[in-house]
């Protein structure tokens, strides 16, 4: 069952301007060390950050809270599976919110898709609850 859906569109040039103006202060407030490492290795650094920004916004919407209810930017982290597929890891208040909205007997799974076409970066997040397999 679908628990939440979120989408966001970010302007890559706006993110570049924020990086230029605030540098590490912005990076450290919004992105985890893993996200920063990934972005800084890419040719399009600002585009990589913009996609992750959009994913965090989309995730907060899928959680039904937006960023106004205590979720920290770094409570939502975009990571990649070995295949390159993006996934979202939640900690802190975001993880607590996810646990609250996941029905008993189910496990939450977060689907993430990212794309960009300069000057835009876009993300969609779908939170799905799957029945937890019963052992025995």
């Amino acid at each position: 069952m679908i628990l939440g859906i979120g989408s966001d569109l970010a302007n890559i040039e706006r993110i570049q301007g924020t990086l230029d103006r605030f540098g590490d202060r912005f990076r450290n407030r919004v992105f985890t060390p893993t996200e920063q490492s990934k972005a800084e290795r890419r040719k399009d650094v600002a585009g990589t950050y913009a996609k992750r920004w959009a994913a965090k916004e989309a995730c907060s919407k899928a959680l039904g809270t937006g960023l106004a209810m205590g979720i920290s930017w770094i409570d939502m982290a975009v990571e990649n599976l070995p295949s390159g597929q993006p996934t979202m890891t939640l900690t802190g208040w975001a993880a607590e919110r996810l646990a609250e909205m996941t029905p008993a007997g189910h496990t939450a799974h977060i689907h993430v898709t990212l794309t960009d076409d300069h000057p835009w970066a876009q993300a969609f997040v779908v939170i799905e609850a799957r029945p937890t397999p019963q052992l025995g």
Side-chain angles (χ1 to χ4, degrees):
M1 89 182 65
I2 302 298
L3 300 179
I5 300 172
S7 68
D8 193 66
L9 185 65
N11 185 286
I12 296 169
E13 293 169 1
R14 179 174 160 248
I15 296 298
Q16 181 64 64
T18 303
L19 288 164
D20 292 343
R21 185 169 177 202
F22 297 105
D24 285 343
R25 191 169 124 207
F26 172 65
R27 283 182 193 87
N28 295 332
R29 179 175 171 251
V30 177
F31 303 100
T32 66
T34 300
E35 290 172 311
Q36 290 180 45
S37 176
K38 177 91 169 178
E40 297 298 328
R41 288 191 316 262
R42 292 287 179 91
K43 181 179 177 185
D44 183 9
V45 173
T48 302
Y49 279 125
K51 286 185 281 191
R52 279 147 180 77
W53 170 281
K56 290 167 186 269
E57 287 275 9
C59 185
S60 72
K61 293 170 186 175
L63 289 168
T65 63
L67 286 157
M69 294 182 66
I71 293 178
S72 167
W73 287 99
I74 59 172
D75 284 346
M76 300 169 289
V78 177
E79 297 177 355
N80 294 86
L81 299 176
S83 65
Q85 177 185 352
T87 183
M88 184 77 65
T89 301
L90 304 184
T91 59
W93 198 90
E96 291 173 20
R97 171 67 182 144
L98 181 62
E100 288 172 4
M101 64 191 287
T102 304
H106 289 74
T107 303
H109 182 77
I110 303 173
H111 302 273
V112 180
T113 186
L114 308 171
T115 191
D116 65 293
D117 187 7
H118 196 84
W120 301 106
Q122 186 174 34
F124 289 94
V125 172
V126 175
I127 302 175
E128 174 190 18
R130 296 178 179 167
T132 304
Q134 300 299 317
L135 300 177

